[in-house]
C-alpha cells in the first residue's frame, strides 16, 4: 500500500479514490471474437450476423453449446454435427479461443495457478489475471477472477494495491472455467446429470480471485449463468460462491439474477475498524451490509451465507471480537470462515498466532457455528487469497503513472 492510498487521518471528507478506483473503459476486443461465454441469446444473434436463418438458430445454438461446454471443442472443425459450410463460415468470423496462458505453476500441495493474458486497453498493452485450481479430497475448486486488479483498496489485500483495473467480459469469466477443464483434461471425465458422483475435477467455482464481482455485475451474472447451465458446464449454483466485500445495492440483485451462494468479506465487527480494513465500509456500513444478508433471496439453513474473516494479529483477533462477531451475525443462517492472513511484501499486517486463531475459532464453535479455518493453499506459488497480483504491475513507474492518470478519478 503506497502513501497515495493511505487512510486519511482526520474525520474529514474521505477521498473517493481511497474507497474505489474507476476501471479503464476502452476495452479493445479481438478482431475475431470468441464464442466462449456468450449467453444463448447473444450466440443466436452472432449466428444471425453470419446468415444463419432465424428458424435454425435455436438448434444451432444448442449444438454449438454442447460442443463448447460438454465436449470442450477448441475449434469449429471438431463440431462434426454442423455442416462443413457452417463450420467454415463460423471459423471465418469467430473463434472458440480461451484466455491465453502465459505461465502455469503447480504447488507442492497440488494447487495449480495459471497466469492468463487478456486483450489490452487502448494502449494495446495486454492485461493479466490469475486463476487457481485447488484440489481437495471431495471436490476441486476453481478460484476465478472478475476484474484485472480490483476497484477497491482493502488495506490487507495485495490485489487491492494494483492500480490498473479493467472489468473482465463474461467470456473471459467463462473462459477461465473452460481453460481449467482443458488444462486438467477434465472434459473426458464423466459428469453425472444430477451432479452426484461427478468425476470431474472442477466441481466448484468460487469468485474469490482478483476483483470485486459486484462492481462488474452484468458480466459476472452472464458468465456465471453460462457456467451453471445444465446443458453445458453444469456447475450447479449451489457449487458456485460469489464473494463480495459488501457492495450492498447489488447483493439483492445478485440473489435474484445469479442465485449463487454468497460469501461476505467481513473481517471486522465495528465500523471503525472495518472502515480501515475495507474502505468500502464507509459507503455501505455494517448495519446495511448485515440487513442485505438477512434479506438475501433464498438464504436458509440449507443455503447459508459464508462470512470470511481474515485473522490479523493484534488488529481483529481478540476474543472480544470473536464474541462480537457471533452477536453480529445472530439470526442469519451463517458459516464463518477464518482465513489466516497471507502476508505479502511491504504489508503492514501480520497473521495472528495459531493459538489465537484456535481460541477465536472455539468461541465461534461454542456459539453453534462451524468455524473452519481455511488452510492456506499454494503459498509457495503465491496463489493464496489476496496474493493474486499479475505482472501488469511490472510496468515502469512512469508507465504506471500514465495509465493510472487515465484510470482513476480523484
Ligand atoms: N473482492 C472479493 C473477492 C476476492 S477476495 C472480496 O473481497 O470478497 C477473496 C477473499 O480473500 C476475501 O475474503 C478477501 O478479503 C480475502 N483476502 C484478501 N487478501 C487477503 C490476504 N492477504 N490474506 C488472506 N485473505 C485475504
Ligand atoms: Fe478487492 Fe476483495 Fe482485495 Fe478488497 S479483498 S481489494 S474487494 S479483491
Amino acid at each position: 500500500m503506497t502513501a497515495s492510498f493511505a487512510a486519511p487521518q482526520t474525520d474529514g471528507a474521505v477521498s473517493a479514490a481511497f474507497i474505489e478506483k474507476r476501471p479503464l473503459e476502452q476495452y479493445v476486443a479481438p478482431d475475431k471474437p470468441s464464442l466462449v461465454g456468450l449467453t444463448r441469446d447473444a450466440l443466436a444473434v452472432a449466428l444471425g450476423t453470419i446468415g444463419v436463418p432465424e428458424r435454425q438458430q435455436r438448434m444451432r445454438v444448442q449444438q454449438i453449446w454442447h460442443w463448447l461446454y460438454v465436449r470442450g471443442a477448441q475449434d469449429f472443425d471438431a463440431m462434426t454435427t454442423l455442416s462443413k459450410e457452417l463450420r467454415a463460415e463460423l471459423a471465418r468470423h469467430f473463434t472458440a479461443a480461451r484466455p491465453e496462458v502465459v505461465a502455469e505453476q503447480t504447488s507442492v500441495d497440488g494447487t495449480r495457478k495459471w497466469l492468463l493474458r487478456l486483450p489490452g486497453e487502448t494502449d494495446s498493452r495486454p492485461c493479466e489475471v490469475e486463476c487457481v485450481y485447488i484440489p481437495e479430497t471431495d471436490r476441486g475448486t476453481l478460484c476465478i477472477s472478475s476484474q484485472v486488479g480490483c476497484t477497491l483498496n482493502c488495506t490487507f489485500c495485495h490485489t487491492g494495491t494494483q492500480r490498473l483495473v479493467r472489468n473482465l467480459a463474461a467470456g473471459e469469466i467463462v473462459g477461465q472455467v473452460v481453460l481449467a477443464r482443458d488444462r486438467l483434461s477434465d472434459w473426458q471425465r464423466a459428469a453425472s446429470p444430477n451432479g452426484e458422483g461427478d468425476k470431474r475435477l472442477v466441481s466448484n467455482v468460487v469468485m474469490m480471485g482478483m476483483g470485486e464481482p459486484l462492481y462488474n455485475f452484468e458480466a459476472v451474472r452472464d458468465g456465471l449463468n453460462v457456467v451453471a447451465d445444465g446443458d453445458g458446464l453444469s456447475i450447479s449454483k449451489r457449487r458456485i460462491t460469489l464473494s463480495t466485500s459488501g457492495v450492498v445495492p447489488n447483493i439483492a440483485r445478485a440473489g435474484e439474477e445469479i442465485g449463487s451462494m454468497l460469501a461476505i468479506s467481513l473481517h471486522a465487527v465495528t465500523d471503525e475498524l472495518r472502515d480501515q480494513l475495507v474502505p468500502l465500509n464507509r459507503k455501505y456500513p455494517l448495519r446495511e451490509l448485515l440487513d442485505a444478508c438477512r434479506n438475501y433471496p433464498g438464504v436458509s439453513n440449507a443455503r447459508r451465507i459464508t462470512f470470511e474473516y481474515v485473522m490479523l494479529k493484534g488488529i481483529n483477533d481478540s476474543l472480544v471480537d470473536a464474541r462480537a462477531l457471533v452477536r453480529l451475525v445472530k439470526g442469519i443462517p451463517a458459516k464463518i470462515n477464518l482465513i489466516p492472513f497471507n502476508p505479502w511484501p511491504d504489508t503492514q499486517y501480520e497473521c495472528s498466532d495459531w493459538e489465537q486463531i484456535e481460541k477465536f475459532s472455539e468461541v465461534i464453535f461454542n456459539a453453534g457455528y462451524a468455524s473452519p479455518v481455511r488452510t492456506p493453499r499454494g503459498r509457495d506459488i503465491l496463489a493464496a487469497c489476496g496474493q493474486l497480483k499479475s505482472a501488469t504491475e511490472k510496468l515502469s513507474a512512469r508507465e504506471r503513472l500514465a495509465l493510472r492518470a487515465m484510470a482513476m478519478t480523484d
Side-chain angles (χ1 to χ4, degrees), residues 47-368:
L47 294 182
T49 63
I50 62 164
V52 175
E54 212 180 320
R55 59 177 194 287
Q56 283 186 19
Q57 283 172 10
R58 257 184 77 145
M59 186 178 78
R60 298 289 172 237
V61 165
Q62 192 58 27
Q63 288 172 317
I64 295 172
W65 200 265
H66 180 85
W67 284 109
L68 288 177
Y69 301 127
V70 178
R71 310 285 282 268
Q74 302 196 21
D75 55 50
F76 300 113
D77 269 351
M79 303 188 179
T80 47
T81 51
L82 305 177
S83 70
K84 273 214 169 97
E85 294 70 35
L86 179 56
R87 280 185 261 158
E89 200 54 18
L90 284 166
R92 250 194 297 283
H93 297 90
F94 305 110
T95 68
R98 296 78 162 102
E100 181 194 350
V101 178
V102 285
E104 178 172 48
Q105 284 175 291
T106 305
S107 159
V108 286
D109 65 16
T111 299
R112 287 176 64 169
K113 179 172 93 165
W114 298 284
L115 182 64
L116 309 177
R117 179 171 295 156
L118 307 172
E121 300 292 337
T122 40
D123 74 339
S124 78
R125 182 184 292 281
C127 294
E128 285 165 357
V129 288
E130 286 158 329
C131 175
V132 182
Y133 172 72
I134 305 150
E136 287 171 278
T137 40
D138 59 338
R139 70 183 71 181
T141 304
L142 187 70
C143 176
I144 62 174
S145 296
S146 57
Q147 298 179 312
V148 176
C150 183
T151 0
L152 299 172
N153 304 300
C154 302
T155 49
F156 56 88
C157 174
H158 201 204
T159 307
T161 65
Q162 190 165 321
R163 300 290 175 247
L164 197 61
V165 182
R166 121 143 141 79
N167 283 325
L168 297 198
E172 294 167 336
I173 291 167
V174 179
Q176 295 172 66
V177 181
V178 168
L179 188 268
R181 286 220 159 136
D182 291 345
R183 303 301 273 209
L184 297 165
S185 305
D186 213 10
W187 300 110
Q188 295 81 344
R189 286 169 231 265
S192 75
N194 55 10
E196 299 300 317
D198 198 331
K199 298 281 185 299
R200 287 205 158 140
L201 293 178
V202 180
S203 62
N204 293 51
V205 168
V206 293
M207 193 154 256
M208 293 186 183
M210 285 182 166
E212 170 46 60
L214 296 188
Y215 269 163
N216 183 16
F217 190 87
E218 281 80 12
V220 165
R221 174 196 61 201
D222 292 351
L224 291 183
N225 279 314
V226 172
V227 171
D229 188 290
D231 290 329
L233 292 165
S234 259
I235 299 176
S236 92
K237 289 189 176 171
R238 302 207 44 170
R239 290 174 173 270
I240 300 178
T241 303
L242 182 153
S243 173
T244 177
S245 56
V247 184
V248 168
N250 282 346
I251 289 180
R253 223 183 137 197
E256 280 148 20
E257 298 178 36
I258 303 172
S260 64
M261 306 298 280
L262 180 68
I264 301 285
S265 295
L266 192 65
H267 309 319
V269 291
T270 62
D271 280 321
E272 195 190 359
L273 180 59
R274 198 162 188 272
D275 282 352
Q276 297 302 317
L277 299 179
V278 185
L280 185 67
N281 194 69
R282 296 162 190 240
K283 207 164 169 179
Y284 307 118
L286 278 171
R287 197 181 49 76
E288 289 178 26
L289 177 58
L290 292 160
D291 278 349
C293 292
R294 269 185 204 96
N295 298 325
Y296 185 66
V299 68
S300 67
N301 277 333
R303 289 172 70 91
R304 292 166 198 259
I305 293 179
T306 302
F307 288 92
E308 296 160 279
Y309 196 92
V310 64
M311 298 299 295
L312 302 170
K313 185 175 184 169
I315 304 280
N316 66 354
D317 64 348
S318 75
L319 300 187
V320 173
D321 289 314
R323 287 189 281 269
L325 175 55
V326 169
R327 280 198 301 276
L328 204 62
V329 301
K330 199 164 179 225
I332 304 175
K335 283 188 280 199
I336 296 168
N337 255 2
L338 302 180
I339 318 175
F341 171 63
N342 281 313
W344 37 274
D346 296 334
T347 176
Q348 54 180 309
Y349 301 108
E350 282 175 76
C351 182
S352 306
D353 295 331
W354 195 252
E355 259 178 31
Q356 188 62 21
I357 298 181
E358 280 185 339
K359 284 189 203 149
F360 196 101
S361 158
E362 207 174 290
V363 170
I364 302 200
F365 181 79
N366 289 340

